[in-house]
Amino acid sequence: MVVRIAQCTLDVDDLDVMAAFWSTALGYEVEQGDDGSAKLWPPGQSSATSPTVWLQGSGTPKRGKNRLHLDLVADADPQVEVQRLLSLGARRVDVGQTGTEGFTVLADPEGNEFCVLDGPPTR
C-alpha cells in the first residue's frame, strides 16, 4: 500500500486575497467555509485525480523560508505563465538560485515560495 498527495494546505493571513490568487493561478473553483478557510477544487475533476488546496486562515503572517513548496508546470510557454502569475500578484524571489535552474522561483501575495518549472518532471 502507498499514499498519494490528496490536498495541499496553506496557512494564510488574508483568505480573500489568497483564495483569489490561487484559484485564478490554478484555475480552481473556490468553496469558502464559514470557519475562515477555503477549499479550492480542480475544475471538472475529482480530488482522486488532482489534489485540492485548502487555505487555512491562520491570522498570522508567514515567517521564514518555506520548508515545502509547490512546483507548478504550465500548459504552454512557462515564461508566459510566469508573467501571468506576476500580473496576479506573485513576485520573483531569490532563494539562492544560480540562474541555470530549470525553474523560476516566485512568491504568492503573502510570500509563500513556489516554482514554475520549465517543463514537466522527468526521470
Side-chain angles (χ1 to χ4, degrees):
M1 178 180 258
V2 298
V3 296
R4 63 178 175 73
I5 298 171
Q7 178 169 274
C8 298
T9 301
L10 182 62
D11 288 348
V12 301
D13 188 27
D14 188 327
L15 182 66
D16 293 333
V17 167
M18 296 298 279
F21 175 82
W22 282 109
S23 66
T24 304
L26 298 172
Y28 277 30
E29 299 165 9
V30 179
E31 182 182 311
Q32 192 122 359
D34 294 332
D35 60 354
S37 70
K39 174 106 32 149
L40 307 182
W41 295 93
Q45 299 178 25
S46 72
S47 61
T49 57
S50 293
T52 59
V53 176
W54 185 37
L55 302 176
Q56 176 176 271
S58 68
T60 59
K62 176 188 175 284
R63 292 187 179 96
K65 184 180 178 302
N66 293 8
R67 296 285 303 263
L68 178 69
H69 68 265
L70 299 175
D71 285 340
L72 307 177
V73 64
D75 290 337
D77 182 339
Q79 290 311 306
V80 170
E81 185 61 18
V82 165
Q83 291 306 312
R84 184 182 78 87
L85 294 166
L86 291 169
S87 75
L88 294 175
R91 62 183 170 81
R92 294 179 186 271
V93 293
D94 182 355
V95 294
Q97 50 282 37
T98 65
T100 61
E101 295 80 9
F103 54 84
T104 302
V105 182
L106 300 175
D108 69 17
E110 290 193 356
N112 300 295
E113 298 93 1
F114 65 96
C115 295
V116 177
L117 304 179
D118 291 349
T122 59
R123 286 183 172 229

